Amino acid sequence: MIYCVEDERNIRELLVYTLGTTGFEAKGIHDGKELFENLEKEIPDLILLDIMLPGEDGYAILEKLKKDPSTREIPIIMVTAKEAEYDKVRGLDGGADDYITKPFGMMEFIARVKAVLRRTQKNAEDKIFYCENLSVNIDRHEVLDGKRKVELTYKEFEMLRYLMENQGIVLSRDRLLERIWGYDFDGETRTVDVHIRTLRQKLGNSGSLIETIRGVGYRIGDGK
């Protein structure tokens, strides 16, 4: 079950319809009050949470969800008309798993939903990600290139973790900056390139798994 929290009826119905036609069960919800009423009856697999809502806004609702032990593990995608970097970072820092900015295409929307569900479901199972001879154990903070243990800095580990969680998806340099560092360096994306280069060196034989997508960013694996 996916809850779509959106006060604009047309958008809410479109999201629910699109999810339904792609095999998901979804329910439209108008505001935070209705969301929490529904959470008392059923915990969903994912919440699509608009920021601009009547009453409590999406940020306040996100904070409540992450503070409550019964709801803190629910994956959340923030849906917003705001494009400012601060708004995106605020949602991610608050615990959201992803964000998508209106207007957006339905194919991108479904791809984002599938990506978040895929990585959160994997995490729930064992929190270990594999790509050929490379394995990343999230709980142990352990990386193995075959049987060789790889020592990484915190930022290097978080970057590798994010790549592994999104196998097959090209992640832009800006997106990696926002996710790993929490802010942008006024367009200075070279920081990502430097960390990727060091990460590849430390991973040894598995370093070649990190592909450079020219003019865009980086990808690991094929997502299968």
Side-chain angles (χ1 to χ4, degrees):
M1 172 62 75
I2 297 176
Y3 286 168
C4 301
V5 188
E6 166 64 62
D7 63 314
E8 293 187 39
R9 181 179 176 181
N10 291 341
I11 296 177
R12 184 172 67 244
E13 290 180 350
L14 177 59
L15 294 178
V16 171
Y17 173 78
T18 302
L19 288 166
T21 58
T22 49
F24 294 103
E25 185 180 1
K27 183 174 185 177
I29 292 175
H30 178 261
D31 56 17
K33 182 175 182 294
E34 186 179 349
L35 170 64
F36 287 106
E37 289 173 353
N38 277 272
L39 286 171
E40 292 179 0
K41 304 170 186 175
E42 180 181 12
I43 297 296
D45 299 307
L46 174 70
I47 295 176
L48 299 169
L49 182 60
D50 189 31
I51 289 180
M52 304 302 290
L53 293 169
E56 288 186 304
D57 66 17
Y59 296 126
I61 294 171
L62 176 65
E63 184 178 3
K64 282 187 176 180
L65 291 170
K66 292 304 176 182
K67 283 184 177 180
D68 189 332
S70 66
T71 58
R72 67 170 55 142
E73 298 300 325
I74 302 173
I76 296 171
I77 297 178
M78 304 298 286
V79 182
T80 173
K82 294 186 175 182
E83 296 183 1
E85 175 192 348
Y86 170 77
D87 296 304
K88 298 175 183 178
V89 173
R90 183 179 175 186
L92 293 173
D93 283 348
D97 295 88
D98 201 355
Y99 62 84
I100 186 166
T101 306
K102 302 175 189 175
F104 49 81
M106 289 300 105
M107 289 181 65
E108 178 190 3
F109 165 63
I110 292 298
R112 292 285 187 89
V113 167
K114 287 181 177 179
V116 168
L117 287 174
R118 183 167 61 243
R119 69 174 181 255
T120 52
Q121 286 168 359
K122 282 182 180 177
N123 284 350
E125 290 171 4
D126 51 21
K127 292 193 177 180
I128 301 177
F129 296 92
Y130 300 93
C131 185
E132 295 189 18
N133 291 324
L134 179 65
S135 66
V136 178
N137 188 311
I138 305 303
D139 286 336
R140 295 183 181 181
H141 211 270
E142 181 179 79
V143 176
L144 296 177
D145 169 33
K147 294 183 179 180
R148 181 180 67 90
K149 188 172 182 179
V150 182
E151 297 294 338
L152 300 177
T153 65
Y154 176 77
K155 293 294 187 187
E156 290 165 351
F157 181 87
E158 288 301 304
M159 182 173 289
L160 179 60
R161 169 182 178 168
Y162 193 44
L163 286 164
M164 293 286 275
E165 286 176 342
N166 292 276
Q167 287 188 49
I169 298 175
V170 180
L171 301 175
S172 70
R173 291 171 174 83
D174 286 335
R175 191 163 183 79
L176 286 165
L177 278 172
E178 289 176 356
R179 184 68 180 192
I180 309 305
W181 279 266
Y183 58 93
D184 195 3
F185 292 110
D186 294 326
E188 183 57 67
T189 56
R190 188 168 176 275
T191 297
V192 172
D193 297 331
V194 171
H195 278 72
I196 288 288
R197 184 166 61 247
T198 305
L199 183 56
R200 281 173 171 155
Q201 292 171 350
K202 290 185 177 182
L203 291 177
N205 292 332
S206 294
S208 61
L209 293 172
I210 302 176
E211 299 178 69
T212 300
I213 309 302
R214 190 172 180 179
V216 183
Y218 298 95
R219 174 180 64 196
I220 194 168
D222 57 11
K224 294 180 181 178

